[in-house]
Amino acid sequence: MPSPRSRIVMTAPRVRFAPSPTGYLHVGGARTALFNWLYARATGGTFVLRIEDTDKERSTPAHTQVILDGLSWLGVGWDEGPFFQGAYAERHHADAERLLAAGRAYKDYLTASELDIERAKAKALGAPFRFERARHELPAAEQARRKTAGMPYAIRFAMPDAEIAWDDAVHGHISWQGRDLDDFIILRSDGSAIYNMAVVSDDIAMAITHVIRGDDHISNTPKQIALYRALGHEPPVFAHVPMILGTDGKKLSKRHGATAVGDYRDMGILPAAMRNFLALLGWSPGGNDEILPESDLIARFTLEHIQKKAAVFDAAKLEWMNGQYLSMLPVLELLAPVRRQLDLLHVQTERDLAPLIDAVKTRSRTVTHLAEQIAVRLDASRIVRDDKGSQFAAKLGDRFAANLRLVHQALSVCDASEWNAALLEAALKRLAESTGVKLGDVMQPIRVALTGGTVSEPVPELLAVVGREESLARIGRAGG
RNA sequence: GGCGCUAUCGUCUAGGGGCCCAGGACACAGCCCUCUCAAGGCUGGAACACGGGUUCGAAUCCCGUUAGCGCUACCA
């Protein structure tokens, strides 16, 4: 009977996220990473990051960096790694050789081009090609000839003709027949390992206990389980998470617009909102709650509540959720993202951004939109009289400028110490009352003068945020 | 073609035999609040793919059909 302590050590899960560095972090990958991370956090486990960089063509350090940056931004930190699959070529090779030595795999001297010919032949007959040892393996004499000639060979796994089944943590029982799988190659003739071999070798070496990955890997799973067993290891728990689709129900791709987490960062999505949204895409806490802080996400996350069905990525809901976070997050946490967006807009300022953020955040769904509004408040040259603004001014006719002159007169009396929302509101209401002008016809022209549009925070707050001198100047110009 | 996976409002989902002539959220429409727009509140339309079973009773269990998707590489 193990002690409670050693039991914890024995059972603490080790999970991994294993992206290939393709140059960007896809939202589907990001969500897979998030699920792994949530599971590790929920169970006290370890989250390992492994970069599958064996595709030399596409893999560069820059591509890897994009993935690392994306995960860091999302707030999905790894406990171990990043490890690079390319560094383990020797072990992959050795594991394949072990299988060969144990009789669980065999040498295949057929060349790639000969294989292509076989495939073409099958195609001509309208039959699907499958490598079958009995049919395609070279005669012993020919094998011997090629061996003595020093010709290269690939190593094929001898797939057992037996049932291979597992209890998937999200799908339940899944079963395959070995005879439906062919003797796939595990080691290329150049000595490098094929994906399934490399993954199993790495997952064993890294003591991965739970493989949480996209369900496009379901059909790789029986092959990998066969490899685990042949290598003398118990397979890990598998949890296959559904895909993320575009609005047309097709696999999410560049056609659908933004698909990389970096794109969402640039669009002004907050990491907390992205995390929350992604977590709810294909997983549910089981209740009616939608806005879940990180601690709740972790506390409530279970593999069993992962959806089996693919989910459509709904950007509108993401933006709504981002707006929720914008409204509820303390200004302090918004400072850095807002500053980044202001930089992108080339807005420089020494001013304390907190009051500005407070003024506009409930009307913003993205940090980008929020920063644009701040820019207008800080810099009069950013004012653009939009359609609604023009229409309003036209509708009011002469009274537009006239009302602004009245306002200018009335507010000039307020000195800097009185320039706050409460006092300004009182002054404007007094003005409306004494002149008989409708309150809206006092307020709205100010809004247009200060922002160019008809939408903003309440006018007194707007005046306070823009400041006395600048407000009066804008009102003077628009009323002039 | 073969094998596998999947199937609740337009979308994300709750549901794991009676609490469901199906609940929440986004989106949409209307109303309230109101100097505008948001936010917030209220209201409305909107779904168990189809066909068979099992059962006193099925969105829930079983079988089939259909549809979608994945894999079927000396790619990952």
Side-chain angles (χ1 to χ4, degrees):
Chain A
M1 197 56 188
S3 73
R5 186 185 161 76
S6 70
R7 231 177 119 150
I8 288 165
V9 172
M10 296 277 293
T11 57
R14 290 177 56 83
V15 298
R16 47 53 159 202
F17 175 54
S20 10
T22 51
Y24 67 112
L25 179 58
H26 190 273
V27 293
R31 192 198 51 175
T32 301
L34 177 64
F35 283 4
N36 273 282
W37 179 84
L38 285 171
Y39 187 68
R41 289 293 164 276
T43 57
T46 303
F47 178 42
V48 178
L49 179 60
R50 182 174 74 227
I51 305 293
E52 307 214 319
D53 59 345
T54 44
D55 185 345
K56 306 278 190 318
E57 312 284 294
R58 294 189 300 177
S59 303
T60 67
H63 286 173
T64 298
Q65 194 56 45
V66 169
I67 290 175
L68 264 35
D69 290 347
L71 290 174
S72 301
W73 173 76
L74 234 203
V76 173
W78 51 97
D79 303 309
E80 289 182 17
F83 300 117
F84 293 87
Q85 187 163 64
Y88 308 115
E90 255 175 61
R91 171 165 39 68
H92 303 158
H93 190 117
D95 280 341
E97 292 286 350
R98 266 178 63 202
L99 258 16
L100 186 61
R104 307 301 299 267
Y106 56 93
K107 296 178 181 179
D108 178 9
Y109 280 97
L110 216 56
T111 66
S113 51
E114 285 171 325
L115 216 40
D116 285 342
I117 292 167
E118 289 301 309
R119 232 184 296 274
K121 268 201 262 181
K123 199 183 170 190
L125 264 76
F129 177 79
R130 246 189 64 202
F131 184 92
E132 278 165 68
R133 188 170 188 177
R135 183 128 56 103
H136 300 281
E137 195 174 37
L138 260 7
E142 178 60 12
Q143 280 192 59
R145 191 187 71 75
R146 295 189 179 195
K147 184 179 178 182
T148 47
M151 284 180 68
Y153 57 87
I155 297 181
R156 279 188 190 272
F157 182 68
M159 181 60 72
D161 180 9
E163 186 191 46
I164 301 175
W166 74 96
D167 285 307
D168 196 278
V170 348
H171 291 272
H173 190 78
I174 299 181
S175 159
W176 295 68
Q177 293 301 324
R179 74 181 76 94
D180 292 325
L181 276 3
D182 62 0
D183 288 355
F184 61 97
I185 287 176
I186 53 178
L187 201 72
R188 278 180 277 252
S189 49
D190 69 359
S192 65
I194 229 67
Y195 172 73
N196 282 315
M197 182 74 242
V199 165
V200 170
S201 177
D202 287 348
D203 284 341
I204 289 172
M206 294 173 189
I208 300 302
T209 60
H210 298 252
V211 171
I212 304 167
R213 67 203 336 179
D215 68 8
D216 48 336
H217 285 289
I218 287 181
S219 34
N220 282 322
T221 306
K223 296 179 186 175
Q224 294 178 7
I225 289 175
L227 250 21
Y228 272 97
R229 299 213 168 115
L231 252 9
H233 286 270
E234 266 310 299
V237 173
F238 290 98
H240 286 100
V241 317
M243 316 207 79
I244 296 179
L245 272 21
T247 40
D248 56 358
K250 302 284 183 206
K251 187 173 172 177
L252 194 64
S253 73
K254 295 224 170 95
R255 268 185 312 115
H256 298 100
T259 53
V261 307
D263 295 338
Y264 289 96
R265 182 187 188 189
D266 291 341
M267 283 161 61
I269 299 297
L270 263 7
M274 191 73 185
R275 227 168 24 229
N276 194 155
F277 177 75
L278 249 22
L280 258 34
L281 203 57
W283 172 76
S284 163
N288 284 335
D289 310 323
E290 304 252 348
I291 303 295
L292 297 165
E294 186 179 295
S295 53
D296 284 2
L297 250 23
I298 291 170
R300 299 171 72 165
F301 188 79
T302 63
L303 262 22
E304 289 69 27
H305 280 91
I306 292 175
Q307 202 72 13
K308 294 185 180 75
K309 187 184 65 163
V312 173
F313 190 95
D314 182 0
K317 188 157 183 177
L318 204 213
E319 289 204 359
W320 164 78
M321 191 168 278
N322 201 58
Q324 296 293 308
Y325 274 86
L326 238 23
S327 302
M328 75 189 210
L329 245 34
V331 183
L332 228 56
E333 287 184 42
L334 265 20
L335 249 28
V338 170
R339 217 172 276 285
R340 180 172 185 271
Q341 290 292 335
L342 286 174
D343 283 346
L344 291 177
L345 294 171
H346 307 292
V347 175
Q348 322 279 332
T349 181
E350 300 295 301
R351 276 187 55 177
D352 177 13
L353 291 176
L356 286 148
I357 295 173
D358 268 330
V360 298
K361 67 178 191 175
T362 49
R363 255 161 308 277
S364 308
R365 287 198 155 190
T366 66
V367 183
T368 308
H369 184 216
L370 191 155
E372 283 164 359
Q373 294 178 74
I374 288 180
V376 168
R377 263 138 269 251
L378 286 173
D379 175 3
S381 74
R382 307 258 172 184
I383 299 176
V384 175
R385 181 71 63 90
D386 65 24
D387 290 347
K388 293 276 181 59
S390 304
Q391 278 167 26
F392 177 79
K395 197 184 88 189
L396 232 53
D398 294 340
R399 288 186 294 140
F400 181 76
N403 289 357
L404 279 175
R405 281 194 292 274
L406 280 176
V407 166
H408 193 279
Q409 230 170 43
L411 294 189
S412 296
V413 182
C414 301
D415 63 31
S417 67
E418 297 169 315
W419 200 268
N420 63 64
L423 259 36
L424 287 164
E425 180 167 13
L428 291 171
K429 283 192 167 155
R430 246 182 283 122
L431 174 67
E433 240 168 77
S434 65
T435 57
V437 177
K438 276 198 303 183
L439 188 61
D441 288 348
V442 172
M443 297 289 198
Q444 197 68 325
I446 302 176
R447 180 138 40 215
V448 174
L450 262 51
T451 67
T454 56
V455 173
S456 84
E457 63 272 42
V459 166
E461 288 173 37
L462 174 65
L463 285 163
V465 152
V466 173
R468 183 176 187 276
E469 304 313 317
E470 181 62 24
S471 294
L472 289 174
R474 292 184 190 191
I475 291 166
R477 251 176 276 138

